[in-house]
Amino acid sequence: MEWVSIIPPLVAIVIVFWKKEVIMALLMAVLCAEALILFTANDGSLLLAPITSIERVVDVATSAGNTRILLFSVLVGALLAYIRDSGGVTATVNWLTQRGVARSKRQVGGLTMATGIVVFIESNLSVLTAGIFARGLFDKFGMSRARLAYLIDSTSAPVCILILLNGWGAFVLGMLDTYDLPESSASILWGSVPFNFYAIIALVLAAYTVFADKVHGPMAKAEQQLSSNQQTLEAAPATKASYMVVPIVTMVLSMVGFMLWTGNGEIAQGSGSKSVLYATILATAVAYLMLVFGKRFTHHEAVETGFKGMGEILPLVTIVLLSLTLGSSLKILGTGVFVAGLVGEYLPVVLVVPMLFIAGAIMSFTTGTSWGTFAILIPIGVPLIQQLGLPPSLVIGAILGGGVFGDHCSPISDTTAVSSIASGCDLLEHVRTQLPYALVGGGLALVAYLVASIIMVG
């Protein structure tokens, strides 16, 4: 399939930035991908592309892991509606402000980052917890939802890929175990942490926006527009902080429990998709029971509020579904394999690691998935370690960092959509405002990989 396999993601990206419409962009990209699949297989008319696209959506939705992601995304809408319309958000904001925990923009930003860092078990849970927790605080202190989306997105994935006591760590460790390497898989993986330059730089940039209280580029414009329009969150009057705090604490603690349960006592072996779904369901149920038995809502009011919240979030859930569908089509087309081949076998040895980082970024950007990037690039990178004598931890760090970098830049990434859901920020605004920070971080990381290669490889 070669170069034409890159056409569908390019179609999506062009339409996104041209028409400012994500759903149409993803639909057109899926149709394009399915038409190319039919063309290369000589299997029927290209006019069948709409039919095969529908079947691809159905096929993606029947995958257990994907179905859990979609259910989780829908239920988040109900949970958000419960804690917002109950008055729990307003009460929590007032409580934190009165006790001096959140009296300034710096404190609010620091609290948001700390929440994302503490919940390192699963990236979606980290984003969700920090986003829900900080929404009201960001509104109160006149900070844009775009800044919140950036902060939680640029905290969660970098922290998860640096701490590695989670599904990502187990996934990469399992892949490394299949190779005969000079060091143990665990030592190589943990050794990659200081070489994951993009993740480290992304956290430093996020911390800079918090403690310097400065934003730049499109994000600065978003903050100015917020100030001039004096937009605030329409939240119910303050009631009890417990209406927000208890469901969130339930979600976080139960997530740990479910990760242990699904991993047979080992948290790193647990299923992230199962655990985050179970934890969200439990948190939503707890919120419902508190509101009904606390006589804040009747049963019918609670049900109506829950479905209203689900309805508000359906456009973003649709984007998640179409992103997963496009990823499935691109896997068949071999887009990731083609991009990985850009690394080339005739590069100077000193450029191999920087090119692995670039290949990982392009793959993740065009396919919208970090997991898929790791799955394709690690089997390419490890033989290079064996044949060329490259430092194993440096190579793995470059691959992992490239995957996270591309994911941060991609408008078709499901992680980007979940960050938008959690923060209540428009998806395109999140991409547009985060992109300059991600590009700066990626550029610095590329220079760092080049320097490290010169020093370590020569």
PDB file of all heavy atoms in Angstrom, residues 67-88:
ATOM      1  N   THR A  67     -15.854  -1.002  23.332  1.00  0.00           N
ATOM      2  CA  THR A  67     -17.182  -0.793  23.925  1.00  0.00           C
ATOM      3  C   THR A  67     -17.059  -0.217  25.327  1.00  0.00           C
ATOM      4  O   THR A  67     -17.825   0.668  25.724  1.00  0.00           O
ATOM      5  CB  THR A  67     -17.973  -2.122  23.980  1.00  0.00           C
ATOM      6  OG1 THR A  67     -18.097  -2.638  22.655  1.00  0.00           O
ATOM      7  CG2 THR A  67     -19.368  -1.901  24.554  1.00  0.00           C
ATOM      8  N   ARG A  68     -16.084  -0.686  26.082  1.00  0.00           N
ATOM      9  CA  ARG A  68     -15.865  -0.146  27.432  1.00  0.00           C
ATOM     10  C   ARG A  68     -15.491   1.331  27.374  1.00  0.00           C
ATOM     11  O   ARG A  68     -15.954   2.131  28.187  1.00  0.00           O
ATOM     12  CB  ARG A  68     -14.766  -0.946  28.141  1.00  0.00           C
ATOM     13  CG  ARG A  68     -15.162  -2.381  28.457  1.00  0.00           C
ATOM     14  CD  ARG A  68     -14.105  -3.070  29.310  1.00  0.00           C
ATOM     15  NE  ARG A  68     -14.296  -4.510  29.310  1.00  0.00           N
ATOM     16  CZ  ARG A  68     -13.543  -5.372  28.654  1.00  0.00           C
ATOM     17  NH1 ARG A  68     -12.514  -4.943  27.950  1.00  0.00           N
ATOM     18  NH2 ARG A  68     -13.783  -6.662  28.694  1.00  0.00           N
ATOM     19  N   ILE A  69     -14.632   1.699  26.409  1.00  0.00           N
ATOM     20  CA  ILE A  69     -14.250   3.112  26.259  1.00  0.00           C
ATOM     21  C   ILE A  69     -15.470   3.966  25.952  1.00  0.00           C
ATOM     22  O   ILE A  69     -15.657   5.052  26.518  1.00  0.00           O
ATOM     23  CB  ILE A  69     -13.189   3.264  25.152  1.00  0.00           C
ATOM     24  CG1 ILE A  69     -11.869   2.615  25.585  1.00  0.00           C
ATOM     25  CG2 ILE A  69     -12.962   4.740  24.817  1.00  0.00           C
ATOM     26  CD1 ILE A  69     -10.820   2.581  24.500  1.00  0.00           C
ATOM     27  N   LEU A  70     -16.331   3.487  25.062  1.00  0.00           N
ATOM     28  CA  LEU A  70     -17.527   4.250  24.673  1.00  0.00           C
ATOM     29  C   LEU A  70     -18.508   4.372  25.836  1.00  0.00           C
ATOM     30  O   LEU A  70     -19.064   5.452  26.087  1.00  0.00           O
ATOM     31  CB  LEU A  70     -18.201   3.577  23.471  1.00  0.00           C
ATOM     32  CG  LEU A  70     -17.385   3.587  22.175  1.00  0.00           C
ATOM     33  CD1 LEU A  70     -18.033   2.700  21.122  1.00  0.00           C
ATOM     34  CD2 LEU A  70     -17.223   5.005  21.649  1.00  0.00           C
ATOM     35  N   LEU A  71     -18.721   3.264  26.554  1.00  0.00           N
ATOM     36  CA  LEU A  71     -19.628   3.306  27.710  1.00  0.00           C
ATOM     37  C   LEU A  71     -19.093   4.250  28.783  1.00  0.00           C
ATOM     38  O   LEU A  71     -19.837   5.032  29.381  1.00  0.00           O
ATOM     39  CB  LEU A  71     -19.799   1.897  28.285  1.00  0.00           C
ATOM     40  CG  LEU A  71     -20.703   0.938  27.505  1.00  0.00           C
ATOM     41  CD1 LEU A  71     -20.646  -0.453  28.118  1.00  0.00           C
ATOM     42  CD2 LEU A  71     -22.142   1.445  27.490  1.00  0.00           C
ATOM     43  N   PHE A  72     -17.787   4.169  29.010  1.00  0.00           N
ATOM     44  CA  PHE A  72     -17.148   5.051  29.980  1.00  0.00           C
ATOM     45  C   PHE A  72     -17.356   6.514  29.586  1.00  0.00           C
ATOM     46  O   PHE A  72     -17.703   7.356  30.415  1.00  0.00           O
ATOM     47  CB  PHE A  72     -15.659   4.694  30.055  1.00  0.00           C
ATOM     48  CG  PHE A  72     -14.737   5.840  30.328  1.00  0.00           C
ATOM     49  CD1 PHE A  72     -14.647   6.404  31.581  1.00  0.00           C
ATOM     50  CD2 PHE A  72     -13.937   6.362  29.316  1.00  0.00           C
ATOM     51  CE1 PHE A  72     -13.781   7.461  31.839  1.00  0.00           C
ATOM     52  CE2 PHE A  72     -13.073   7.405  29.555  1.00  0.00           C
ATOM     53  CZ  PHE A  72     -12.998   7.965  30.825  1.00  0.00           C
ATOM     54  N   SER A  73     -17.174   6.816  28.307  1.00  0.00           N
ATOM     55  CA  SER A  73     -17.309   8.193  27.836  1.00  0.00           C
ATOM     56  C   SER A  73     -18.743   8.702  27.999  1.00  0.00           C
ATOM     57  O   SER A  73     -18.968   9.860  28.361  1.00  0.00           O
ATOM     58  CB  SER A  73     -16.888   8.289  26.363  1.00  0.00           C
ATOM     59  OG  SER A  73     -15.538   7.910  26.200  1.00  0.00           O
ATOM     60  N   VAL A  74     -19.732   7.840  27.728  1.00  0.00           N
ATOM     61  CA  VAL A  74     -21.139   8.241  27.884  1.00  0.00           C
ATOM     62  C   VAL A  74     -21.474   8.463  29.352  1.00  0.00           C
ATOM     63  O   VAL A  74     -22.109   9.460  29.725  1.00  0.00           O
ATOM     64  CB  VAL A  74     -22.074   7.169  27.282  1.00  0.00           C
ATOM     65  CG1 VAL A  74     -23.531   7.479  27.612  1.00  0.00           C
ATOM     66  CG2 VAL A  74     -21.909   7.113  25.765  1.00  0.00           C
ATOM     67  N   LEU A  75     -21.043   7.529  30.205  1.00  0.00           N
ATOM     68  CA  LEU A  75     -21.369   7.622  31.631  1.00  0.00           C
ATOM     69  C   LEU A  75     -20.728   8.827  32.300  1.00  0.00           C
ATOM     70  O   LEU A  75     -21.258   9.352  33.278  1.00  0.00           O
ATOM     71  CB  LEU A  75     -20.941   6.340  32.345  1.00  0.00           C
ATOM     72  CG  LEU A  75     -21.866   5.143  32.128  1.00  0.00           C
ATOM     73  CD1 LEU A  75     -21.214   3.876  32.647  1.00  0.00           C
ATOM     74  CD2 LEU A  75     -23.208   5.372  32.822  1.00  0.00           C
ATOM     75  N   VAL A  76     -19.586   9.264  31.769  1.00  0.00           N
ATOM     76  CA  VAL A  76     -18.955  10.465  32.306  1.00  0.00           C
ATOM     77  C   VAL A  76     -19.921  11.644  32.237  1.00  0.00           C
ATOM     78  O   VAL A  76     -19.968  12.483  33.138  1.00  0.00           O
ATOM     79  CB  VAL A  76     -17.656  10.784  31.529  1.00  0.00           C
ATOM     80  CG1 VAL A  76     -17.175  12.192  31.834  1.00  0.00           C
ATOM     81  CG2 VAL A  76     -16.577   9.784  31.890  1.00  0.00           C
ATOM     82  N   GLY A  77     -20.726  11.705  31.169  1.00  0.00           N
ATOM     83  CA  GLY A  77     -21.707  12.780  31.033  1.00  0.00           C
ATOM     84  C   GLY A  77     -22.710  12.787  32.172  1.00  0.00           C
ATOM     85  O   GLY A  77     -23.051  13.848  32.711  1.00  0.00           O
ATOM     86  N   ALA A  78     -23.189  11.599  32.555  1.00  0.00           N
ATOM     87  CA  ALA A  78     -24.140  11.501  33.664  1.00  0.00           C
ATOM     88  C   ALA A  78     -23.482  11.903  34.984  1.00  0.00           C
ATOM     89  O   ALA A  78     -24.066  12.647  35.783  1.00  0.00           O
ATOM     90  CB  ALA A  78     -24.684  10.076  33.756  1.00  0.00           C
ATOM     91  N   LEU A  79     -22.247  11.421  35.203  1.00  0.00           N
ATOM     92  CA  LEU A  79     -21.538  11.752  36.438  1.00  0.00           C
ATOM     93  C   LEU A  79     -21.303  13.256  36.546  1.00  0.00           C
ATOM     94  O   LEU A  79     -21.511  13.858  37.617  1.00  0.00           O
ATOM     95  CB  LEU A  79     -20.205  10.996  36.479  1.00  0.00           C
ATOM     96  CG  LEU A  79     -19.316  11.230  37.699  1.00  0.00           C
ATOM     97  CD1 LEU A  79     -20.041  10.814  38.981  1.00  0.00           C
ATOM     98  CD2 LEU A  79     -17.997  10.470  37.564  1.00  0.00           C
ATOM     99  N   LEU A  80     -20.881  13.880  35.458  1.00  0.00           N
ATOM    100  CA  LEU A  80     -20.659  15.325  35.448  1.00  0.00           C
ATOM    101  C   LEU A  80     -21.944  16.084  35.752  1.00  0.00           C
ATOM    102  O   LEU A  80     -21.943  17.072  36.490  1.00  0.00           O
ATOM    103  CB  LEU A  80     -20.097  15.766  34.092  1.00  0.00           C
ATOM    104  CG  LEU A  80     -18.655  15.364  33.772  1.00  0.00           C
ATOM    105  CD1 LEU A  80     -18.333  15.660  32.319  1.00  0.00           C
ATOM    106  CD2 LEU A  80     -17.690  16.100  34.685  1.00  0.00           C
ATOM    107  N   ALA A  81     -23.038  15.624  35.156  1.00  0.00           N
ATOM    108  CA  ALA A  81     -24.322  16.295  35.381  1.00  0.00           C
ATOM    109  C   ALA A  81     -24.749  16.179  36.847  1.00  0.00           C
ATOM    110  O   ALA A  81     -25.273  17.144  37.426  1.00  0.00           O
ATOM    111  CB  ALA A  81     -25.391  15.699  34.468  1.00  0.00           C
ATOM    112  N   TYR A  82     -24.533  15.025  37.453  1.00  0.00           N
ATOM    113  CA  TYR A  82     -24.914  14.832  38.862  1.00  0.00           C
ATOM    114  C   TYR A  82     -24.147  15.773  39.788  1.00  0.00           C
ATOM    115  O   TYR A  82     -24.745  16.443  40.639  1.00  0.00           O
ATOM    116  CB  TYR A  82     -24.670  13.378  39.287  1.00  0.00           C
ATOM    117  CG  TYR A  82     -25.716  12.401  38.794  1.00  0.00           C
ATOM    118  CD1 TYR A  82     -25.385  11.074  38.546  1.00  0.00           C
ATOM    119  CD2 TYR A  82     -27.030  12.801  38.595  1.00  0.00           C
ATOM    120  CE1 TYR A  82     -26.335  10.167  38.098  1.00  0.00           C
ATOM    121  CE2 TYR A  82     -27.991  11.907  38.138  1.00  0.00           C
ATOM    122  CZ  TYR A  82     -27.632  10.590  37.885  1.00  0.00           C
ATOM    123  OH  TYR A  82     -28.579   9.706  37.453  1.00  0.00           O
ATOM    124  N   ILE A  83     -22.829  15.832  39.619  1.00  0.00           N
ATOM    125  CA  ILE A  83     -22.055  16.643  40.559  1.00  0.00           C
ATOM    126  C   ILE A  83     -22.220  18.134  40.271  1.00  0.00           C
ATOM    127  O   ILE A  83     -22.055  18.966  41.160  1.00  0.00           O
ATOM    128  CB  ILE A  83     -20.565  16.246  40.547  1.00  0.00           C
ATOM    129  CG1 ILE A  83     -19.915  16.570  39.217  1.00  0.00           C
ATOM    130  CG2 ILE A  83     -20.396  14.785  40.890  1.00  0.00           C
ATOM    131  CD1 ILE A  83     -18.429  16.333  39.198  1.00  0.00           C
ATOM    132  N   ARG A  84     -22.569  18.485  39.019  1.00  0.00           N
ATOM    133  CA  ARG A  84     -22.766  19.891  38.681  1.00  0.00           C
ATOM    134  C   ARG A  84     -24.142  20.380  39.130  1.00  0.00           C
ATOM    135  O   ARG A  84     -24.264  21.385  39.832  1.00  0.00           O
ATOM    136  CB  ARG A  84     -22.625  20.065  37.162  1.00  0.00           C
ATOM    137  CG  ARG A  84     -22.854  21.490  36.667  1.00  0.00           C
ATOM    138  CD  ARG A  84     -22.981  21.502  35.150  1.00  0.00           C
ATOM    139  NE  ARG A  84     -24.175  20.784  34.702  1.00  0.00           N
ATOM    140  CZ  ARG A  84     -24.337  20.269  33.483  1.00  0.00           C
ATOM    141  NH1 ARG A  84     -23.362  20.373  32.594  1.00  0.00           N
ATOM    142  NH2 ARG A  84     -25.455  19.644  33.164  1.00  0.00           N
ATOM    143  N   ASP A  85     -25.189  19.643  38.713  1.00  0.00           N
ATOM    144  CA  ASP A  85     -26.561  20.102  38.983  1.00  0.00           C
ATOM    145  C   ASP A  85     -26.977  19.904  40.430  1.00  0.00           C
ATOM    146  O   ASP A  85     -27.979  20.473  40.875  1.00  0.00           O
ATOM    147  CB  ASP A  85     -27.554  19.383  38.053  1.00  0.00           C
ATOM    148  CG  ASP A  85     -27.361  19.762  36.587  1.00  0.00           C
ATOM    149  OD1 ASP A  85     -26.520  20.645  36.333  1.00  0.00           O
ATOM    150  OD2 ASP A  85     -28.024  19.182  35.715  1.00  0.00           O
ATOM    151  N   SER A  86     -26.223  19.100  41.165  1.00  0.00           N
ATOM    152  CA  SER A  86     -26.540  18.907  42.582  1.00  0.00           C
ATOM    153  C   SER A  86     -26.062  20.073  43.435  1.00  0.00           C
ATOM    154  O   SER A  86     -26.449  20.206  44.592  1.00  0.00           O
ATOM    155  CB  SER A  86     -25.878  17.619  43.083  1.00  0.00           C
ATOM    156  OG  SER A  86     -24.463  17.763  43.049  1.00  0.00           O
ATOM    157  N   GLY A  87     -25.186  20.914  42.876  1.00  0.00           N
ATOM    158  CA  GLY A  87     -24.582  21.989  43.654  1.00  0.00           C
ATOM    159  C   GLY A  87     -23.290  21.565  44.307  1.00  0.00           C
ATOM    160  O   GLY A  87     -22.677  22.337  45.049  1.00  0.00           O
ATOM    161  N   GLY A  88     -22.843  20.344  44.024  1.00  0.00           N
ATOM    162  CA  GLY A  88     -21.618  19.832  44.626  1.00  0.00           C
ATOM    163  C   GLY A  88     -20.374  20.560  44.155  1.00  0.00           C
ATOM    164  O   GLY A  88     -19.437  20.793  44.933  1.00  0.00           O
TER     165      GLY A  88
END
